[in-house]
Amino acid sequence: MPRFDFKYAAELMVGDWAQIDGTWAEVLGCATDPNGWTHLTLEGFPLPETILHGTVEVPWSRTSPAGAR
């Protein structure tokens, strides 16, 4: 049984941990624009911003999951 849940990208908040492209990262910033796209700033990600549609479900955790960097 996994130790995480799923959350829509638009529901992520600063301090959450999200798994994006198979890597766990802490959410440092997030905002959803009027067109439904969620802009995420993630700790340690090579791109300054990751953009997902707000309806995309991503694995998430309130605390740093095992195996996170």
Side-chain angles (χ1 to χ4, degrees):
M1 186 104 183
R3 295 183 181 211
F4 56 82
D5 244 333
F6 287 89
K7 202 178 216 187
Y8 290 117
E11 297 174 338
L12 290 171
M13 298 181 346
V14 172
D16 283 347
W17 284 79
Q19 188 181 58
I20 309 292
D21 290 335
T23 302
W24 284 99
E26 185 176 7
V27 178
L28 301 178
C30 54
T32 301
D33 66 29
N35 293 320
W37 294 97
T38 299
H39 303 255
L40 301 169
T41 303
L42 302 168
E43 174 71 33
F45 254 57
L47 299 174
E49 182 176 71
T50 300
I51 302 172
L52 300 172
H53 197 271
T55 59
V56 172
E57 286 188 316
V58 295
W60 80 281
S61 177
R62 285 192 177 107
T63 60
S64 175
R69 28 178 164 159

